[in-house]
Every structure is written in structure tokens, then in C-alpha cells.
Amino acid sequence: MVVKKIKHALITGFEPYGTPMRSDNRSWEAVKQLDKQIIETDCATVVCHCHQLPVSYDDVTVLVPRLHLSGEFSIVVHCGSGASGVVRLEKCAHRTDYVRTGNKGPTDLPPNGCVPGYDTADELTTAIDVDSLRNQLEEQGWNELYTSVDAGHYVCDFTFYTSLAEGETTYPARKLPAPQTLFVHVHPKADDVYSDTQLAELLRDIVRDLAQEGI
């Protein structure tokens, strides 16, 4: 009998944003469907912990590290709203050049336009082989996926960098392996390429693939 590992996945989406404010955010509409779900693989049982994040730099600066500390996560998938017609798997995140304000208005910017609190490189790259992950997902029928090295220099990019920096700093301090961390940009419209239900299934497949050995 195979004894499966128990793994925990932190999965986040965002609140609505924009001017005028959108009525919802595709990322959260998809992510919330996985909350408390159990995803089985050949080698692991994955428990999903889903949270909605504010579109605010100050809030992300506090909340994302707090979420990391709330459990021992081996998988972290952040999801945000991106360009129409495509789903993008992001490879890297950036520490600097944040000039677009968040939901709280003109003062909602990080200090000096930078992610605060980490003595880490200006660009951090996920340890996930994103190209291999994309190819594997394509074999499962997900054909509208692209990889990207530009997460947008907005709250999405900021969040991705914060999580990657957490993996480099607080996880070793807690004597834990850094989680596999990914950012997924989904399209903003419910009728564009994939429905909310399909996006939730895509995220489920991403978590399942990441839980397998060697991804």
C-alpha cells in the first residue's frame, strides 16, 4: 500500500479593482471554488487553503507573510486578472518599479516603489519548471496557456515577489523547504476562453501537477 504525503496548498485570488470598479474578479471567482477541497495524486493528498487578497500594496505586505506563517505550505498558487484571451503562467517577479496605485487611492503605493522587507535580488524566479508545467497541462487539454516573464509591476507582481521572497527567507528560518510558488494570470471576462468553472479546474490541475514529484 502506498502511503501518501499530506501536502497543503495556499491559493489566492484578488478582490475587484479598477476605475470604474469591476463587479468581480475572475481570479477569486475561480479560486474560491477550491476552498477546503482535497486534491488526490498518486503520491500525495493536497489540502487547499484559499484566501482573497486586497488590491493594496500595504495590505499585501502584511497579509501574504501572515498567510505563509499560518501553515506549512508546499505549494503556493497566486491568481490574478490579466489580459483577455489568454492564461499566463508567470516565471519571475520584480522588487522595483511599482508606480500604479492600488485600490486605496493615490497614496496606495509601496515605499520608493519597491517591495519592502527583504534583502533579496531585484528579480526572483520560481523554482518551478514553468515550461514543463505548461507542456504537461497542454497534454491534459489546456491549450490557451502561455508563459511569461512580465507579471506586470502591479499588485499581482508585488504579491508574487513577496511570496518568492518568503520562500527564500522565512521558510529556511523555520527549517522548512521553500514552497513551489507560481502566479497565474487569468483573463478578466467570464465568457472569454474559459468559464469560471473551467478556470477552477485548471487551477486544480496545476496544483495536482505541482504535487507530483519532479515538477
Side-chain angles (χ1 to χ4, degrees), residues 45-194:
T45 296
V46 185
V47 183
C48 297
H49 305 264
C50 299
H51 298 270
Q52 186 184 62
L53 295 178
V55 180
S56 166
Y57 297 100
D58 285 347
D59 290 338
V60 165
T61 298
V62 173
L63 290 175
V64 169
R66 184 180 296 167
L67 287 173
H68 277 278
L69 288 171
S70 71
E72 297 183 6
F73 298 106
S74 55
I75 297 167
V76 176
V77 178
H78 296 295
C79 187
S81 180
S84 296
V86 297
V87 174
R88 299 201 323 265
L89 309 179
E90 303 292 348
K91 294 183 176 183
C92 58
H94 307 91
R95 188 176 66 87
T96 62
D97 299 328
Y98 291 95
V99 297
R100 184 180 171 192
T101 59
N103 272 354
K104 291 183 176 179
T107 62
D108 191 356
L109 285 168
N112 301 312
C114 298
V115 179
Y118 303 101
D119 185 20
T120 42
D122 282 354
E123 182 176 290
L124 296 180
T125 301
T126 180
I128 297 166
D129 186 336
V130 178
D131 292 312
S132 292
L133 175 62
R134 179 199 171 278
N135 292 341
Q136 189 163 328
L137 291 165
E138 190 173 51
E139 290 174 2
Q140 297 168 28
W142 301 105
N143 298 315
E144 300 299 330
L145 303 182
Y146 300 84
T147 62
S148 166
V149 294
D150 182 5
H153 290 277
Y154 191 42
V155 180
C156 292
D157 202 343
F158 188 93
T159 299
F160 191 22
Y161 186 96
T162 301
S163 263
L164 290 171
E166 284 290 305
E168 287 196 3
T169 57
T170 62
Y171 278 77
R174 297 166 66 195
K175 295 181 169 53
L176 296 172
Q180 299 179 89
T181 302
L182 183 69
F183 198 100
V184 181
H185 267 120
V186 302
H187 48 73
K189 297 179 182 178
D191 59 352
D192 186 359
V193 185
Y194 299 126

